[in-house]
């Protein structure tokens, strides 16, 4: 086979891949079409709203005229993101508010909730989006393994402290961002805090499985209150979430190309949280998990009621809510 034929095949394959990527992107963007004033008068909290899926979700909600509270740890980065979001939102946009929230500090979570309860008359949607992915071993302010502390415990306390306000604002919604990597995790009750051994990949998967179990147990507890809670798995998205993953220098150009071709953009990744936050199609739906705006069937370990209840009770004790 001549070099010209090989080159043509490679270029042709590249064109097909790019065309497929562009087509899928346009299809995803069309699914994000909602009435421009759909969220007018509604207040939405988005954790981790200064980058990635959280930023894209906040931007779309602002376009739908919501009052969006960006709950972020880094004030400077949040302000930069807020300015970018406002510039893109157009003339008829909602309101954007920045509040400090460090999910690695339960005291910060409590202070944030006290401020929200004091200043906000209602909360219509809480989107638990922020997360850490395979970070080096470290601990939260209270001494919990960082991925467990941020991905589960911080959001557990945040949600519980805002539940009364969410109930008063009913019908209201809670959205929990999980990951398909939950499939590779289990809840290690014998060493939940990874004091005996730390495997960063396992700990991430464990925390994402915990998010699904949290959603299931919370849905059971909220039955009849007018507050719904659903989880989602966004797929592989080009965000800063993977910043702790070391990629060899020689491989980076290829990785960047592959990510552009096959990974979702932040806007595409935001379509399912946006769908769960505001679509009339999921009004009253609770305790489910979604992917690409459709209900996703979970493995049995993510729907185990006994494990969900046990993890809930343990989390309650770890964050100091159990009397």
């Amino acid at each position: 086979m001549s070099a010209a034929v090989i080159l043509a095949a490679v270029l042709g394959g590249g064109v097909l891949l790019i065309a497929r990527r562009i087509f899928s992107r346009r299809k995803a963007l069309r699914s994000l079409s909602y009435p421009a004033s759909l969220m007018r008068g509604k207040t939405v909290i988005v954790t981790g709203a200064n980058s990635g899926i959280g930023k894209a979700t906040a931007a779309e909600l602002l376009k739908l005229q919501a009052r969006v509270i960006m709950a972020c740890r880094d004030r400077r980065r949040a302000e930069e993101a807020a300015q970018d979001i406002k510039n893109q939102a157009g003339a008829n946009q909602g309101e954007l508010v920045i509040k400090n929230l460090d999910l690695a500090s339960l005291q910060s979570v409590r202070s944030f909730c006290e401020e929200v309860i004091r200043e906000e008359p209602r909360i219509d949607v809480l989107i638990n989006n922020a997360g850490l992915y395979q970070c080096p071993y470290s601990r939260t302010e209270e001494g919990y393994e960082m991925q467990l502390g941020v991905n589960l415990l911080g959001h557990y306390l945040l949600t519980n402290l805002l539940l009364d306000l969410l109930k008063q604002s009913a019908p209201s919604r809670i959205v929990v961002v999980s990951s398909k990597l939950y499939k590779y995790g289990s809840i290690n009750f014998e060493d939940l805090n990874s004091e005996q051994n730390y495997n960063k990949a396992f700990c991430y998967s464990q925390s994402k499985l915990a998010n699904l179990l949290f959603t299931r147990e919370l849905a059971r507890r909220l039955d009849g209150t007018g507050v719904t809670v659903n989880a989602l798995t966004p797929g592989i998205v080009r965000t800063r979430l993977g910043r702790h993953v070391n990629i060899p220098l020689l491989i980076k150009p290829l990785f960047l190309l592959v990510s552009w071709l096959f990974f979702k953009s932040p806007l595409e990744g935001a379509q399912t949280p946006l769908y769960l936050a505001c679509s009339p199609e999921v009004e009253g739906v609770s305790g489910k998990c979604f992917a690409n705006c459709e209900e996703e069937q979970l493995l049995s370990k993510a729907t185990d009621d006994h494990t969900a209840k046990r993890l809930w009770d343990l989390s309650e004790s770890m964050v100091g809510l159990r009397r």
Side-chain angles (χ1 to χ4, degrees):
M1 186 179 293
S2 68
V5 173
I6 294 175
L7 179 60
V10 171
L11 291 175
V15 170
L16 287 173
L17 286 172
I18 292 172
R20 179 184 176 187
R21 179 64 185 165
I22 292 173
F23 174 77
S24 66
R25 179 177 298 173
R26 287 176 178 171
K27 182 179 179 181
L29 290 175
R30 281 199 299 269
S31 71
L32 287 169
S33 179
Y34 296 101
S37 60
L38 179 64
M39 298 298 283
R40 182 186 297 165
K42 295 188 177 182
T43 299
V44 184
I45 296 174
V46 184
T47 68
N50 59 296
S51 64
I53 294 174
K55 179 182 176 183
T57 302
E60 293 305 298
L61 288 167
L62 191 67
K63 293 175 185 177
L64 297 176
Q65 302 182 17
R67 172 178 168 82
V68 181
I69 298 176
M70 299 174 64
C72 304
R73 178 178 58 86
D74 189 320
R75 181 83 189 188
R76 179 186 62 80
R77 291 186 62 230
E79 289 175 348
E80 291 174 356
Q83 189 58 54
D84 188 34
I85 290 171
K86 289 177 182 177
N87 291 341
Q88 296 180 31
N92 297 318
Q93 59 183 258
E95 182 181 1
L96 206 56
V97 178
I98 299 173
K99 292 185 184 293
N100 181 256
L101 173 65
D102 182 358
L103 290 160
S105 165
L106 297 182
Q107 182 53 52
S108 174
V109 175
R110 291 187 176 91
S111 297
F112 172 86
C113 292
E114 289 171 0
E115 182 179 354
V116 167
I117 293 169
R118 183 173 62 250
E119 298 179 356
E120 302 295 331
R122 63 183 299 110
I123 294 296
D124 298 277
V125 185
L126 169 63
I127 303 179
N128 291 340
N129 164 78
L132 286 173
Y133 175 73
Q134 296 194 16
C135 60
Y137 182 77
S138 56
R139 292 178 180 270
T140 66
E141 189 175 280
E142 288 76 22
Y144 297 123
E145 185 274 313
M146 190 62 73
Q147 294 186 88
L148 177 75
V150 171
N151 298 354
L152 173 65
L153 297 177
H155 281 119
Y156 176 96
L157 180 62
L158 173 73
T159 304
N160 275 277
L161 292 181
L162 293 178
L163 274 184
D164 285 345
L165 185 53
L166 283 159
K167 290 176 181 176
Q168 293 168 21
S169 309
S172 54
R173 305 181 185 187
I174 301 168
V175 180
V176 179
V177 179
S178 181
S179 166
K180 291 188 187 299
L181 291 178
Y182 86 88
K183 297 175 181 179
Y184 304 101
S186 60
I187 306 300
N188 183 7
F189 286 108
E190 302 305 315
D191 189 26
L192 189 63
N193 200 36
S194 302
E195 296 176 355
Q196 300 171 21
N197 177 59
Y198 179 67
N199 180 306
K200 63 182 183 180
F202 172 83
C203 285
Y204 179 75
S205 295
Q206 174 180 245
S207 72
K208 294 291 101 176
L209 173 60
N211 288 154
L212 296 173
L213 292 167
F214 163 79
T215 300
R216 186 171 181 85
E217 176 64 14
L218 181 58
R220 185 186 68 80
R221 291 169 178 260
L222 290 175
D223 186 38
T225 65
V227 183
T228 60
V229 55
N230 291 290
L232 68 106
T233 58
I236 305 176
V237 184
R238 293 192 307 275
T239 70
R240 294 183 66 253
L241 188 65
R243 62 189 178 276
H244 296 297
V245 178
N246 294 320
I247 301 172
L249 188 61
L250 292 176
I251 304 296
K252 278 192 175 182
L254 178 60
F255 176 80
L256 291 174
L257 175 61
V258 170
S259 69
W260 188 85
L261 289 171
F262 297 107
F263 292 9
K264 292 180 180 179
S265 69
L267 180 57
E268 290 171 320
Q271 64 180 312
T272 305
L274 186 65
Y275 174 77
L276 293 177
C278 61
S279 175
E281 293 180 8
V282 288
E283 183 70 40
V285 176
S286 192
K288 306 297 183 180
C289 184
F290 289 75
N292 298 321
C293 301
E294 296 180 351
E295 187 176 340
E296 179 179 15
Q297 296 302 311
L298 298 172
L299 298 181
S300 59
K301 62 182 174 181
T303 59
D304 186 306
D305 290 330
H306 174 74
T307 303
K309 175 66 165 58
R310 184 180 177 188
L311 180 63
W312 180 281
D313 291 344
L314 182 57
S315 300
E316 185 179 41
S317 177
M318 293 174 78
V319 302
L321 285 180
R322 175 170 289 183
R323 293 183 176 87

